Short mmCIF file of all heavy atoms in Angstrom, two decimals:
data_model
loop_
_atom_site.label_atom_id
_atom_site.label_comp_id
_atom_site.label_asym_id
_atom_site.label_seq_id
_atom_site.Cartn_x
_atom_site.Cartn_y
_atom_site.Cartn_z
N TRP A 2 -23.85 4.80 19.16
CA TRP A 2 -23.41 4.48 20.53
C TRP A 2 -23.71 3.04 20.87
O TRP A 2 -22.96 2.43 21.60
CB TRP A 2 -24.03 5.43 21.53
CG TRP A 2 -23.46 6.82 21.42
CD1 TRP A 2 -24.14 7.95 20.96
CD2 TRP A 2 -22.15 7.25 21.70
NE1 TRP A 2 -23.31 9.03 20.93
CE2 TRP A 2 -22.06 8.64 21.37
CE3 TRP A 2 -21.02 6.58 22.10
CZ2 TRP A 2 -20.86 9.31 21.49
CZ3 TRP A 2 -19.81 7.29 22.23
CH2 TRP A 2 -19.77 8.65 21.97
N ARG A 4 -23.54 0.57 18.79
CA ARG A 4 -22.46 -0.26 18.16
C ARG A 4 -21.21 -0.19 19.03
O ARG A 4 -20.59 -1.29 19.23
CB ARG A 4 -22.12 0.33 16.75
CG ARG A 4 -23.02 -0.14 15.69
CD ARG A 4 -22.61 0.55 14.41
NE ARG A 4 -22.03 -0.38 13.50
CZ ARG A 4 -21.73 -0.06 12.26
NH1 ARG A 4 -21.94 1.15 11.82
NH2 ARG A 4 -21.16 -0.91 11.47
N TRP A 8 -19.05 -3.29 21.45
CA TRP A 8 -17.65 -3.66 21.46
C TRP A 8 -17.14 -4.05 22.86
O TRP A 8 -16.30 -4.91 22.99
CB TRP A 8 -16.77 -2.49 21.01
CG TRP A 8 -17.01 -1.95 19.65
CD1 TRP A 8 -17.81 -2.47 18.71
CD2 TRP A 8 -16.49 -0.75 19.12
NE1 TRP A 8 -17.77 -1.65 17.58
CE2 TRP A 8 -16.98 -0.60 17.81
CE3 TRP A 8 -15.61 0.23 19.62
CZ2 TRP A 8 -16.60 0.45 16.98
CZ3 TRP A 8 -15.27 1.28 18.80
CH2 TRP A 8 -15.75 1.40 17.51
N ASP A 10 -19.33 -4.82 25.63
CA ASP A 10 -20.32 -5.52 26.42
C ASP A 10 -20.63 -6.87 25.78
O ASP A 10 -21.58 -6.99 25.03
CB ASP A 10 -21.60 -4.70 26.62
CG ASP A 10 -22.58 -5.29 27.62
OD1 ASP A 10 -22.22 -6.35 28.22
OD2 ASP A 10 -23.62 -4.70 27.80
N PRO A 21 -23.94 -19.80 18.23
CA PRO A 21 -23.51 -20.46 16.99
C PRO A 21 -22.51 -21.56 17.33
O PRO A 21 -22.07 -21.72 18.43
CB PRO A 21 -22.80 -19.32 16.24
CG PRO A 21 -22.31 -18.40 17.28
CD PRO A 21 -23.27 -18.53 18.41
N GLY A 46 5.40 0.70 12.22
CA GLY A 46 6.05 1.29 11.07
C GLY A 46 6.09 2.81 11.18
O GLY A 46 7.04 3.47 10.84
N ALA A 50 9.44 4.95 11.35
CA ALA A 50 9.68 6.04 10.40
C ALA A 50 10.04 7.31 11.13
O ALA A 50 10.97 8.01 10.71
CB ALA A 50 8.43 6.24 9.50
N ARG A 63 9.14 12.88 6.23
CA ARG A 63 9.27 11.87 7.26
C ARG A 63 8.14 11.94 8.25
O ARG A 63 7.57 10.91 8.63
CB ARG A 63 10.63 11.96 7.93
CG ARG A 63 10.84 10.94 9.08
CD ARG A 63 12.17 11.04 9.71
NE ARG A 63 12.32 12.33 10.30
CZ ARG A 63 13.45 12.81 10.80
NH1 ARG A 63 14.54 12.08 10.75
NH2 ARG A 63 13.52 14.01 11.37
N LEU A 70 1.03 6.61 8.81
CA LEU A 70 1.06 5.21 9.27
C LEU A 70 0.39 5.08 10.64
O LEU A 70 -0.31 4.09 10.85
CB LEU A 70 2.49 4.70 9.30
CG LEU A 70 3.15 4.46 7.93
CD1 LEU A 70 4.64 4.20 8.11
CD2 LEU A 70 2.46 3.33 7.25
N GLY A 75 -4.31 3.11 13.67
CA GLY A 75 -5.41 3.32 14.56
C GLY A 75 -6.76 3.01 13.88
O GLY A 75 -7.63 2.41 14.50
N ALA A 78 -7.32 -0.71 13.66
CA ALA A 78 -7.67 -1.33 14.95
C ALA A 78 -9.14 -1.05 15.30
O ALA A 78 -9.89 -1.97 15.71
CB ALA A 78 -6.76 -0.77 16.07
N ILE A 82 -12.42 -4.02 15.51
CA ILE A 82 -13.42 -4.34 16.57
C ILE A 82 -14.82 -4.18 16.07
O ILE A 82 -15.71 -4.98 16.41
CB ILE A 82 -13.14 -3.52 17.85
CG1 ILE A 82 -14.03 -3.97 19.03
CG2 ILE A 82 -13.30 -2.06 17.61
CD1 ILE A 82 -13.75 -5.32 19.52
N ARG A 93 -24.78 -14.96 14.98
CA ARG A 93 -25.75 -15.30 15.98
C ARG A 93 -27.24 -15.22 15.46
O ARG A 93 -28.07 -15.93 15.93
CB ARG A 93 -25.61 -14.45 17.23
CG ARG A 93 -24.26 -14.69 17.94
CD ARG A 93 -24.18 -13.88 19.19
NE ARG A 93 -25.08 -14.46 20.19
CZ ARG A 93 -24.80 -15.48 20.96
NH1 ARG A 93 -23.67 -16.11 20.84
NH2 ARG A 93 -25.65 -15.89 21.87
N GLU A 97 -26.69 -13.15 6.60
CA GLU A 97 -25.54 -13.05 5.71
C GLU A 97 -24.50 -12.18 6.37
O GLU A 97 -24.82 -11.14 7.04
CB GLU A 97 -25.98 -12.41 4.40
CG GLU A 97 -24.98 -12.48 3.35
CD GLU A 97 -25.55 -12.04 1.97
OE1 GLU A 97 -26.68 -12.41 1.64
OE2 GLU A 97 -24.82 -11.36 1.25
N ALA A 108 -5.98 -1.46 0.87
CA ALA A 108 -5.03 -1.85 -0.17
C ALA A 108 -4.73 -0.70 -1.07
O ALA A 108 -3.59 -0.48 -1.46
CB ALA A 108 -5.60 -3.06 -0.94
N GLY A 112 -1.14 1.09 -1.48
CA GLY A 112 -0.55 1.13 -2.80
C GLY A 112 -0.23 2.58 -3.22
O GLY A 112 0.88 2.81 -3.78
N LEU A 116 3.45 4.24 -3.91
CA LEU A 116 3.73 4.96 -5.12
C LEU A 116 4.30 6.39 -4.84
O LEU A 116 5.28 6.84 -5.48
CB LEU A 116 2.50 5.05 -6.01
CG LEU A 116 2.65 5.68 -7.41
CD1 LEU A 116 3.67 4.87 -8.22
CD2 LEU A 116 1.32 5.73 -8.11
N SER A 129 20.06 14.83 -6.00
CA SER A 129 21.38 14.78 -5.40
C SER A 129 22.45 14.88 -6.44
O SER A 129 22.47 14.63 -7.55
CB SER A 129 21.54 13.45 -4.69
OG SER A 129 20.62 13.34 -3.66
#
Side-chain angles (χ1 to χ4, degrees):
W2 291 112
R4 277 176 110 172
W8 300 351
D10 188 2
R63 177 179 61 189
L70 288 171
I82 187 68
R93 296 184 69 81
E97 192 171 319
L116 185 61
S129 298

